[in-house]
Amino acid sequence: NGGTENKNSLNWEKYTETIYQYRETIYQNATDSLISEIELYIKKYAVDSKLSAKQLVEICDMYNLELKLALAQAHLESHFGTKGMAVKTNSVFNVGTYDDGTILYVYKDPNESIEPYAQLLKTRYLTEDKTETDLLKRNQFRDINGKRYASYPGYERRLSEIISNVSQTTDIDSLISIRKQFKVIKIVEYNEFNLLTINTIDDNYIERKNLTK
């Protein structure tokens, strides 16, 4: 009857909300631990670095960029903003800085240089189904016009070594894996009658709630 159906519906909503909150808590705990782990890694090699691990994680999430690649490039390019031209430009990834001394961009803070770097990779390097793994192949870290990110011939090999070191000496891999496993994607859809919110927890579980528009 209607009463039983309403009760079952309420129980199901309570159950799914509990699962959602449980997974969200695990995801957030893993994110906090990941940020702490990255902070430790940065300080291990550059104690004076002002690079924010939190902002690095957030921007890599925003652009769906491989976090370990960004971490490795920040390490190799400027020791997290503490060496080379980055001391003057605050361009942690040396975006807009060239071997001939040309400087296109100067930032007030090292963290301002993270998003331009992410945008550059996603629009100029990670195009036409090219992946971060493809970029790390010998002589393949090139943009859509074939121009290398760095002139150093061993650039890809050195980045791969740093990424391997990150995997071997930190818990970053396992924390990234936990975040992928427990990530909840929130989607909002509109139809003629209702505002439908969908929390996609994984491929086999979808929570749907119909709310009055």
Side-chain angles (χ1 to χ4, degrees):
N1 57 45
T4 302
E5 288 180 359
N6 288 336
K7 183 177 180 180
N8 289 338
S9 177
L10 288 173
N11 287 338
W12 172 250
E13 286 191 12
K14 183 177 180 181
Y15 169 71
T16 54
E17 184 66 23
T18 299
I19 293 177
Y20 171 76
Q21 291 174 354
Y22 166 73
R23 296 178 70 100
E24 190 172 51
T25 298
I26 293 177
Y27 178 84
Q28 188 57 56
N29 288 342
T31 299
D32 292 342
S33 296
L34 178 62
I35 291 169
S36 296
E37 195 74 4
I38 291 171
E39 285 177 347
L40 287 172
Y41 181 84
I42 291 173
K43 295 304 181 183
K44 177 181 179 180
Y45 294 97
V47 67
D48 295 325
S49 175
K50 296 178 181 178
L51 184 65
S52 166
K54 185 174 186 293
Q55 286 186 245
L56 186 64
V57 170
E58 289 175 349
I59 292 173
C60 284
D61 282 350
M62 185 188 308
Y63 286 89
N64 193 27
L65 185 64
E66 178 59 51
L67 180 59
K68 287 195 298 180
L69 175 62
L71 192 64
Q73 283 198 273
H75 190 165
L76 181 57
E77 288 289 338
S78 68
H79 260 62
F80 307 107
T82 64
K83 291 187 177 181
M85 293 299 291
V87 175
K88 179 191 298 185
T89 65
N90 280 323
S91 185
V92 173
F93 303 91
N94 279 328
V95 173
T97 303
Y98 297 91
D99 293 343
D100 64 3
T102 300
I103 297 174
L104 298 183
Y105 310 113
V106 176
Y107 301 96
K108 293 180 181 179
D109 181 270
N111 296 300
E112 291 182 1
S113 72
I114 302 173
E115 189 164 6
Y117 155 77
Q119 291 173 341
L120 177 69
L121 254 62
K122 296 301 285 189
T123 60
R124 303 286 296 177
Y125 290 85
L126 296 169
T127 60
E128 299 179 352
D129 297 325
K130 185 179 287 186
T131 67
E132 287 88 343
T133 300
D134 294 329
L135 292 179
L136 292 173
K137 294 176 182 177
R138 184 178 179 183
N139 199 31
Q140 292 304 305
F141 211 120
R142 296 176 177 272
D143 68 9
I144 53 178
N145 295 321
K147 186 177 179 180
R148 287 181 57 76
Y149 189 97
S151 59
Y152 172 47
Y155 191 72
E156 295 86 352
R157 174 184 54 79
R158 187 69 189 105
L159 281 177
S160 296
E161 290 172 352
I162 294 173
I163 290 171
S164 178
N165 179 59
V166 169
S167 296
Q168 293 172 14
T169 62
T170 74
D171 292 327
I172 289 175
D173 278 351
S174 62
L175 293 168
I176 288 174
S177 178
I178 291 170
R179 292 178 83 235
K180 287 180 178 179
Q181 182 181 353
F182 287 92
K183 183 177 181 180
V184 176
I185 303 172
K186 294 184 179 179
I187 305 171
V188 177
E189 294 181 354
Y190 293 91
N191 60 33
E192 184 178 355
F193 303 105
N194 298 303
L195 168 64
L196 177 65
T197 64
I198 306 174
N199 295 326
T200 306
I201 292 180
D202 57 36
D203 293 337
N204 301 312
Y205 176 87
I206 294 180
E207 174 194 354
R208 296 175 183 267
K209 288 183 178 179
N210 284 294
L211 304 176
T212 302
K213 195 171 183 180

